[in-house]
Amino acid sequence: MPVNIEQYKKITSALDNATLVAVSKTKPNEDIQTLYDLGQRDFGENYVQELVDKQAALSNDIRWHFIGHLQSNKVKYIAPFVHLIHGVDSLKLLKEINKQGAKHNRVIDCLLQVHIAQEETKFGMDEAEIAEVRVAISELTNVRICGLMGMASFSEDISKVRTEFRSLKELFDRYREWSVVSGQWTVLSMGMSGDYAMAVEEGSTMVRIGSLLFGERNYTA
Ligand SMILES: *Cc1c(COP(=O)(O)O)cnc(C)c1O
């Protein structure tokens, strides 16, 4: 399926100040190049090996976002170049990112993934775990926490999804004082193909959109 350029233009003109991360997982380099040629620079990937391969093949000025579930033993592969890691869901993982950041003489930008969906299956921290990170953060000088990321339930129930976005925004506002220790607190990553408009209404500053732009994914192909 070709890249939906009409949809891309529609989304970018509707977003105002929110940043679009084009989620290109499972999609070929040519599709990424198509959007790149239209000016898109932020791309999101979920799988470490795939991200490493694409980064090596494509333009150097792409900002690569890692949005998947990251295992500690794989941080080292993306540490040299990753722009923003969205899904930090444990202090252990954050410490490993810090270690790899130090090795590469970088400060790696991260978002804490918060568990907002009522579904059991979604990864993310609860408030107690976030508080634990808050205590540890001043010693982790090679990571910078820029904000929060969350995924709403996959639900037809629009009011439920809205409530989840709203609770994440509340948390984001409540933790604003983090900017004092982390240097930055500007990114609220929420909203995907099915719910991005609502997410922006509820205060999202960064949406992660895949299938609307690139078509449905076929994992078995
Ligand atoms: C795949 C993925 C997306 C994009 O999903 P679409 O519904 O295709 O827009 C966004 N965020 C995360 C964390 C993902 O894994």
Side-chain angles (χ1 to χ4, degrees):
M1 198 193 285
V3 178
N4 193 331
I5 291 171
E6 285 309 305
Q7 193 64 253
Y8 175 70
K9 291 183 174 161
K10 196 180 138 201
I11 293 169
T12 47
S13 67
L15 276 184
D16 284 334
N17 295 321
T19 302
L20 169 65
V21 177
V23 177
S24 45
K25 63 188 178 202
T26 79
K27 298 298 177 182
N29 291 347
E30 301 79 73
D31 287 3
I32 297 174
Q33 189 64 43
T34 299
L35 285 192
Y36 180 91
D37 291 340
L38 293 171
Q40 180 66 24
R41 290 294 178 274
D42 293 274
F43 290 90
E45 292 283 338
N46 286 53
Y47 309 103
V48 168
Q49 189 58 52
E50 186 178 348
L51 172 53
V52 167
D53 292 346
K54 285 174 170 172
Q55 193 271 339
L58 290 157
S59 185
N60 260 335
D61 63 348
I62 290 179
R63 295 183 287 269
W64 292 104
H65 298 244
F66 191 83
I67 64 169
H69 182 64
L70 183 57
Q71 290 169 291
S72 293
N73 61 355
K74 296 201 170 159
V75 174
K76 57 177 176 280
Y77 301 114
I78 63 171
F81 64 84
V82 70
H83 174 69
L84 180 63
I85 299 177
H86 289 230
V88 176
D89 63 354
S90 72
L91 181 54
K92 173 175 175 261
L93 175 60
L94 192 66
K95 284 180 172 167
E96 177 62 20
I97 297 168
N98 185 66
K99 185 175 143 193
Q100 295 299 331
K103 254 186 204 167
H104 294 280
N105 209 7
R106 298 187 69 204
V107 176
I108 299 179
D109 283 345
C110 297
L111 304 178
L112 301 181
Q113 184 169 359
V114 181
H115 188 273
I116 52 167
Q118 282 148 5
E119 295 161 14
E120 280 298 318
T121 51
K122 300 258 161 67
F123 294 102
M125 297 178 157
D126 57 27
E127 287 196 52
E129 290 168 297
I130 296 174
E132 214 186 326
V133 172
R134 179 71 175 78
V135 171
I137 192 66
S138 61
E139 295 185 355
L140 305 177
T141 51
N142 289 88
V143 291
R144 184 169 68 162
I145 312 280
C146 300
L148 302 177
M149 178 267 210
M151 286 169 85
S153 301
F154 286 110
S155 173
E156 299 288 300
D157 183 349
I158 290 175
S159 71
K160 180 176 165 187
V161 173
R162 194 180 284 281
T163 303
E164 291 172 358
F165 285 148
R166 204 163 278 178
S167 67
L168 185 58
K169 173 66 161 70
E170 276 167 20
L171 207 57
F172 180 71
D173 289 340
R174 192 134 47 85
Y175 284 115
R176 267 192 200 285
E177 53 91 22
W178 277 59
S179 62
V180 178
V181 277
S182 67
Q184 253 226 347
W185 191 256
T186 52
V187 183
L188 179 57
S189 167
M190 63 182 193
M192 303 167 44
S193 288
D195 54 24
Y196 79 90
M198 186 194 282
V200 170
E201 279 170 23
E202 295 300 334
S204 171
T205 71
M206 192 174 272
V207 295
R208 312 175 307 268
I209 298 181
S211 43
L212 269 187
L213 298 171
F214 296 109
E216 294 300 321
R217 290 175 292 273
N218 182 358
Y219 287 99
T220 56

